[in-house]
Amino acid sequence: MSERTIDIILTHERTDFDALASLLGASLLFPNAQPVLPRQMNRNVRDFLALYQSSFRFISADDLVKGVKVRRAIVVDTRAANSPRGAQPDTEYIVIDHHLPAADGDRQEARKLLPQARELWCDNTGANTTLLVEKLIEHSIAVTPVEATLLALGIYEDTGNLTYTSTTSRDAAALAWLLEPARGVNLEEVNEFLHHPISQAQQTLLQQLMDNSEFLDIAGHSVMLATALAPEFGDELSTLAARLRDFHEPDALFVIVDLGDVVQVVARSTTDDIDVGKMMRALGGGGHNRAAAAHLREGRLATVRQQVIDLVHVYGQAANTVGAIMSSGRPRMIAPELPVREAIELMRRWGHEGFPVVTRSPAGGETLLGVLTRREADRALDHGLGDQPVSRFMRAGAHTVRPEDSVSTLRRLMIETDWGQVPVVNEEGVIVGIVTRTDLIKLWDERGAQAHSSSEIARRLRRALRPVQHHLLEVIGAEVEAMQYAGYVVGGFVRDLMLDVTSQRALTLDVDIVIEGDAISLARRMQARFGGRVVEHRRFGTAKWILNNAEEPVALELLLAGVAGGEPGDIPPHLDFVTARTEFYTEPTVLPTVQQSSIKLDLHRRDFTINTLALCLNPDRWGKLLDFWGGMADLQAQLVRVLHSLSFVDDPTRILRAVRYEQRFGFHIEPRTLELLRDALDLLDRVTPARIRHELERILQEETPELALLRLDEMGILRQIYPALRMDARCAERFVRLRAALKAHDADALLVSQPLPLLYWTLLCASLAPTDVDGLQARLGLRGETIELMRSTVELQRQLPTLADPTTPPSAATAILEKSTPAALALLPILTDDAQALRTLSLYQTTWRHVLPSFDGHALRALGVPRGGIYRTILANLRAGLLDGKISTRAEEEALVRAIAGL
């Protein structure tokens, strides 16, 4: 007779709804396994089972039959369930726990912790129930309304109603499936048991915990400790922890209660900087980063309290501080008597949404009176009060923070005061910066940008750059640090790096290096140390360090010291240093006025958010990504977005750039940006020819410029530039054919020698009327070689029907083709695939152009033909006769000469 075995399902003691729902989910997936209830369960769970236990297959541990061996144990929502009665050395364990790491490398560590586990189901979800619900969906297992309600309770409770940061989209999807009408979740019961009233014993203990609460500032975090002695308490503590957390809103909460035989610690965290799961595991407990617990059978209340404090110091990471996110440098401040109208002009000029309002004493001291926001200023202007002083409309007060204050402190201050811009003061009370709501919002992106850590970006830099180029940036970073400046690589290079696109910028190190400090002084320092030549532009605060100047060469042995695998030829011809600056436009379409500023405002002057990214070069912050204006979010969403509503008004050439980036990367222009773009089209008429031509030529330098040109045509932008300018599918096909012809092994050498943008220009304008070529030249100031080839090609295009007509005499075809430039003739196979036209071109190039009469001017004089214009007529007729086959011998030529000359 074979021995009897069973399969069972287990979870942790002090069971919450996620654990109970996981028991249920596993019992549905493993119908032959018996789900065993723990002995200690949270009160709301016990009360739920008091009403609904008959709807489930749950059994108690006492119901397990003695002497029956456990063949398989399925452990859910924990890795530390009590060893079941009947467990054997060969009992097979399946562990289903969202607390375990999901990465393959980390699974090996998990197996060390759980050597008895034959199978691990683990992934990063907010609730363990989610893992089970996904399996129910996968296997099309139906659930009853009561079962669906319990599963929903599990997800709601462990994700804080989908609000905890550990919540994932998978939790929401699992809950959405449960909430479909077919499942019949009872939301009234969900609400009842998630907000269960506490018992009298819990109320008494809660008061003791509140009386014994203490608040510590550890690593910039607000940490709350609540302790109590309650040897007679037999209820659960997690509900009390939730009450305390909701009331006091600390960054981390530790409820420590001496229950007589055991000290229980319940830990909750609202920040990833304090991983309470790690701390509780150090005490022998468990949980995840936001909620965990431990039970210590040895130790007194004071001892455990000190252990918890020590663990926070060990495992708690430094909080984000105001100093890390604020706009550094002295902020712009205004006096209380300044008229509102002038304050608004300053806001527009500097891109600010508000200013601190201060008075200054004769000794130079400052007193903060309040802040003026854009909202109050606009409201005053709307009421015709633009000439009134800002003191009438500012938000009065002297609310400030210090650089070392935590972001949590800042958040509380902003909520309490409704100030969106808060001045930052140093120990002496001097305003040293300002921090805004935008700076806080930026943290959201940073929390989800672990893939873009400084170390990861540093690895990308090494992959993207040659050793010499990488070393150059390191050298510059060291010199910037020595001058107590900050240096950044900005713009397109960083954008392409984050897109993982190998760009020409990276291959040539064609980058702008923005300096918070004096860029010209830095360039001069680099020249003094390493040689080369510096060209300054003091008006813009920029300098070009020229590295390939033969008369003033760089000291290669010094500059490249320590570089492995580098070649001197990898040194870029020059590097551009730019002083961080801001720009404002005195009127639309004109070039901007420039003033020195911070890196944040320097990035704000850029055209699109995707070009506002910057990488720090200073050694202690090497590779740190600055993203003040949402550039990474738009890269990930594949959007081209302007930074403010006047962007296209300030510089209408950004219209062309927006389309270029959209088509290069396969992005979309963001809807509001597209609306602003269309509204600004007529401003293109006011832009100088050279600037429009420059932007179009940059489009023609793209790998597939026809995409951007088609989009420009679709949006009416080409017509706005010049009414007859068009791009259609036929012209786009010609662009493609041109590239194919240039890559062919038998490519026309003349065609290959031409600049590609010049050929694109010619194909784009080949169908224009001759008068429109003149008009386009006037509008864009096209270069002479471009116009020459364009005119020749336009005429050739106009004559195509004649060249394609088989009845056209060779003399007529030759007369047309001889007027065309060689480059235009080389383009004819791109313009048409008509066989007859191409045959005509081939005959001309191989035969007809070499046909010449035997008579010349000397022969005509010897024959007695009087000098004059008749010579040209005679020679033309002779050649036409030879080409058309009407004459072929010298005698026939002489007869024709005599007939024309009347000899």
Side-chain angles (χ1 to χ4, degrees):
M1 185 177 186
S2 62
E3 62 182 1
R4 187 178 172 193
T5 61
I6 60 171
D7 293 351
I8 61 174
I9 307 169
L10 304 172
T11 190
H12 57 80
E13 294 294 323
R14 294 178 174 80
T15 309
D16 57 12
F17 274 117
D18 191 29
L20 186 68
S22 295
L23 270 183
L24 168 63
S27 71
L28 296 172
L29 290 167
F30 299 92
N32 295 324
Q34 299 184 35
V36 182
L37 291 172
R39 298 184 184 278
Q40 301 179 65
M41 293 180 284
N42 289 348
R43 193 168 67 87
N44 57 347
V45 173
R46 292 199 311 270
D47 291 349
F48 178 84
L49 287 175
L51 293 176
Y52 298 110
Q53 184 163 350
S54 62
S55 301
F56 308 106
R57 296 193 298 112
F58 300 140
I59 64 171
S60 70
D62 294 336
D63 294 332
L64 287 174
V65 179
K66 294 180 180 180
V68 176
K69 295 183 178 180
V70 175
R71 181 182 69 91
R72 178 167 59 181
I74 301 151
V75 181
V76 297
D77 198 33
T78 183
R79 59 171 181 239
N82 294 331
S83 180
R85 177 192 298 171
Q88 304 296 311
D90 61 348
T91 295
E92 174 187 330
Y93 283 81
I94 297 176
V95 178
I96 306 172
D97 185 12
H98 71 137
H99 301 137
L100 290 173
D104 289 339
D106 294 336
R107 285 175 184 262
Q108 301 303 319
E109 288 299 315
R111 289 197 180 277
K112 291 178 184 177
L113 295 170
L114 296 163
Q116 75 275 35
R118 299 288 182 85
E119 191 175 340
L120 294 175
W121 296 7
C122 49
D123 218 334
N124 295 318
T125 55
N128 198 69
T129 305
T130 297
L131 300 176
L132 282 304
V133 171
E134 289 177 338
K135 291 292 184 182
L136 295 176
I137 296 171
E138 179 184 341
H139 295 285
S140 302
I141 297 174
V143 294
T144 67
V146 176
E147 292 169 341
T149 300
L150 175 53
L151 293 168
L153 273 165
I155 297 176
Y156 273 124
E157 185 181 66
D158 227 40
T159 63
N161 296 326
L162 301 181
T163 63
Y164 293 164
T165 57
S166 56
T167 304
T168 68
S169 60
R170 293 168 60 184
D171 298 295
L175 192 55
W177 181 78
L178 292 169
L179 291 175
E180 289 177 1
R183 253 62 72 188
V185 169
N186 187 331
L187 288 176
E188 290 183 357
E189 289 294 87
V190 169
N191 185 60
E192 166 67 23
F193 286 100
L194 286 179
H195 303 91
H196 215 44
I198 61 176
S199 66
Q200 183 61 49
Q202 286 177 312
Q203 292 180 35
T204 301
L205 181 57
L206 178 61
Q207 186 60 53
Q208 187 183 164
L209 290 167
M210 294 184 73
D211 292 342
N212 294 342
S213 293
E214 55 183 319
F215 294 87
L216 306 176
D217 190 318
I218 301 177
H221 296 290
S222 171
V223 177
M224 178 181 177
L225 299 177
T227 58
L229 285 168
E232 304 299 324
F233 186 75
D235 220 327
E236 49 92 15
L237 296 176
S238 59
T239 300
L240 304 186
R243 296 287 178 99
L244 290 169
R245 180 194 58 203
D246 294 343
F247 186 78
H248 291 286
E249 297 183 343
D251 295 327
L253 165 70
F254 297 90
V255 174
I256 309 170
V257 180
D258 188 338
L259 299 174
D261 60 337
V262 66
V263 176
Q264 183 175 347
V265 183
V266 176
R268 298 291 184 264
S269 173
T270 61
T271 171
D272 291 334
D273 293 335
I274 300 180
D275 187 337
V276 294
K278 282 185 178 178
M279 298 178 196
M280 293 303 98
R281 285 193 286 276
L283 293 177
H288 53 81
N289 61 337
R290 296 303 182 97
H295 306 84
L296 290 82
R297 298 200 174 275
E298 296 181 3
R300 310 285 295 179
L301 190 63
T303 306
V304 175
R305 170 190 168 278
Q306 189 58 50
Q307 284 180 292
V308 168
I309 294 173
D310 292 343
L311 286 170
V312 176
H313 280 288
V314 171
Y315 288 108
Q317 299 178 24
N320 282 313
T321 63
V322 170
I325 68 170
M326 73 180 191
S327 298
S328 58
R330 287 277 289 169
R332 301 189 180 276
M333 295 173 278
I334 58 176
E337 62 272 14
L338 185 75
V340 170
R341 194 182 312 279
E342 293 184 25
I344 289 178
E345 174 59 28
L346 290 174
M347 290 178 190
R348 189 190 72 80
R349 175 180 298 181
W350 298 106
H352 294 340
E353 290 299 313
F355 291 110
V357 182
V358 301
T359 57
R360 290 182 171 87
S361 67
E366 297 170 347
T367 301
L368 177 65
L369 302 179
V371 294
L372 178 73
T373 69
R374 186 64 180 257
R375 184 188 306 169
E376 278 81 25
D378 285 341
R379 189 175 300 164
L381 200 63
D382 290 342
H383 288 285
L385 301 174
D387 295 328
Q388 294 296 307
V390 298
S391 58
R392 283 192 57 185
F393 306 100
M394 70 182 184
R395 297 186 181 186
H399 305 294
T400 61
V401 289
R402 293 171 62 173
E404 62 269 23
D405 285 340
S406 69
V407 168
S408 297
T409 301
L410 172 66
R411 289 181 70 253
R412 284 193 291 270
L413 180 63
M414 285 185 168
I415 291 170
E416 292 168 2
T417 63
D418 196 29
W419 280 28
Q421 301 90 23
V422 178
V424 183
V425 299
N426 62 15
E427 293 179 355
E428 290 76 35
V430 177
I431 298 176
V432 295
I434 196 161
V435 62
T436 69
R437 289 191 182 104
T438 301
D439 298 320
L440 275 181
I441 293 171
K442 175 178 170 287
L443 285 177
W444 298 355
D445 291 334
E446 290 182 352
R447 286 169 183 160
Q450 296 305 312
H452 306 306
S453 63
S454 297
S455 58
E456 167 60 22
I457 293 173
R459 285 192 289 271
R460 290 191 183 203
L461 279 171
R462 283 206 176 274
R463 289 199 305 267
L465 298 173
R466 297 186 178 102
V468 167
Q469 298 166 340
H470 189 275
H471 177 71
L472 268 177
L473 292 184
E474 289 181 318
V475 169
I476 292 167
E479 296 301 320
V480 166
E481 183 75 17
M483 296 181 75
Q484 297 185 334
Y485 293 166
Y488 306 90
V489 176
V490 302
F493 172 83
V494 184
R495 176 201 65 222
D496 293 347
L497 188 74
M498 301 316 295
L499 285 172
D500 231 357
V501 172
T502 301
S503 66
Q504 189 63 28
R505 290 176 180 274
L507 295 175
T508 61
L509 201 60
D510 177 17
V511 297
D512 281 342
I513 299 172
V514 175
I515 306 299
E516 279 189 316
D518 187 343
I520 294 175
S521 295
L522 173 65
R524 286 295 180 195
R525 179 185 177 96
M526 300 300 293
Q527 180 191 35
R529 287 207 60 188
F530 303 108
R533 187 164 68 92
V534 170
V535 178
E536 303 175 3
H537 298 281
R538 291 204 167 271
R539 177 189 170 192
F540 295 101
T542 64
K544 187 183 294 292
W545 183 29
I546 299 173
L547 303 177
N548 64 349
N549 185 270
E551 298 177 2
E552 302 175 77
V554 294
L556 293 177
E557 69 284 352
L558 183 60
L559 185 61
L560 302 183
V563 181
E567 296 292 337
D570 292 339
I571 294 179
H574 61 83
L575 287 170
D576 292 312
F577 299 103
V578 182
T579 301
R581 65 187 194 263
T582 190
E583 301 173 342
F584 58 91
Y585 292 77
T586 56
E587 58 182 284
T589 76
V590 302
L591 292 174
T593 301
V594 175
Q595 292 189 8
Q596 187 170 345
S597 185
S598 66
I599 183 63
K600 182 175 181 181
L601 288 178
D602 184 278
L603 295 173
H604 187 265
R605 71 183 176 84
R606 310 274 160 174
D607 47 11
F608 307 107
T609 58
I610 59 175
N611 291 331
T612 62
L613 302 173
L615 293 182
C616 188
L617 297 179
N618 291 54
D620 61 337
R621 292 187 291 152
W622 176 264
K624 178 178 174 58
L625 178 68
L626 273 62
D627 180 14
F628 295 107
W629 310 110
M632 279 305 306
D634 283 339
L635 279 183
Q636 291 162 357
Q638 300 187 330
L639 291 176
V640 177
R641 184 197 310 267
V642 290
L643 277 81
H644 56 86
S645 59
L646 293 178
S647 184
F648 294 121
V649 175
D650 289 342
D651 184 1
T653 63
R654 290 172 176 167
I655 292 172
L656 301 174
R657 251 173 284 159
V659 174
R660 175 159 58 90
Y661 290 133
E662 177 192 51
Q663 296 305 309
R664 177 197 294 178
F665 299 119
F667 285 11
H668 296 286
I669 298 175
E670 180 265 335
R672 174 59 177 159
T673 299
L674 187 59
E675 180 182 341
L676 294 170
L677 182 155
R678 294 186 189 280
D679 289 343
L681 280 184
D682 58 341
L683 292 176
L684 286 170
D685 298 342
R686 300 168 60 178
V687 180
T688 62
R691 294 186 66 212
I692 293 285
R693 183 187 69 244
H694 175 69
E695 290 298 334
L696 287 172
E697 288 178 344
R698 293 183 72 179
I699 289 174
L700 295 177
Q701 290 166 2
E702 294 287 313
E703 287 187 13
T704 53
E706 63 273 12
L707 299 179
L709 292 170
L710 285 168
R711 180 75 160 135
L712 290 172
D713 187 84
E714 172 197 335
M715 298 168 70
I717 298 171
L718 290 182
R719 292 191 296 277
Q720 188 69 42
I721 293 172
Y722 187 74
L725 194 58
R726 293 287 190 280
M727 180 66 174
D728 55 21
R730 182 184 178 195
C731 188
E733 182 189 359
R734 288 174 173 174
F735 277 40
V736 175
R737 290 171 61 178
L738 172 63
R739 290 194 296 272
L742 293 173
K743 292 177 182 177
H745 70 279
D746 57 348
D748 188 310
L750 178 61
L751 207 59
V752 172
S753 69
Q754 303 297 313
L756 188 55
L758 170 64
L759 300 178
Y760 282 141
W761 263 124
T762 304
L763 294 178
L764 177 63
C765 299
S767 298
L768 291 180
T771 54
D772 284 323
V773 174
D774 297 334
L776 192 63
Q777 181 186 22
R779 175 65 184 97
L780 299 181
L782 296 171
R783 298 176 180 84
E785 61 177 356
T786 304
I787 286 297
E788 180 186 11
L789 180 55
M790 197 179 289
R791 284 180 174 144
S792 180
T793 306
V794 164
E795 179 60 22
L796 195 59
Q797 170 84 14
R798 194 175 69 84
Q799 296 288 354
L800 269 179
T802 302
L803 297 175
D805 185 351
T807 64
T808 299
S811 59
T814 299
I816 294 171
L817 296 172
E818 278 185 334
K819 294 177 183 177
S820 302
T821 63
L825 293 180
L827 281 174
L828 187 60
I830 310 299
L831 291 172
T832 182
D833 54 7
D834 184 272
Q836 181 59 44
L838 297 178
R839 181 173 178 274
T840 299
L841 173 64
S842 177
L843 286 170
Y844 167 74
Q845 291 177 323
T846 58
T847 305
W848 296 345
R849 65 177 179 166
H850 303 297
V851 173
L852 296 172
S854 59
F855 277 78
D856 58 12
H858 296 291
L860 292 177
R861 282 197 302 274
L863 200 61
V865 178
R867 294 186 179 187
I870 195 172
Y871 275 35
R872 180 176 300 172
T873 301
I874 290 172
L875 293 174
N877 277 275
L878 285 174
R879 191 179 185 210
L882 291 168
L883 286 168
D884 296 339
K886 295 178 180 178
I887 58 175
S888 58
T889 65
R890 182 174 177 83
E892 290 174 332
E893 286 185 56
E894 182 178 337
L896 182 58
V897 169
R898 291 182 179 279
I900 296 172
L903 298 178

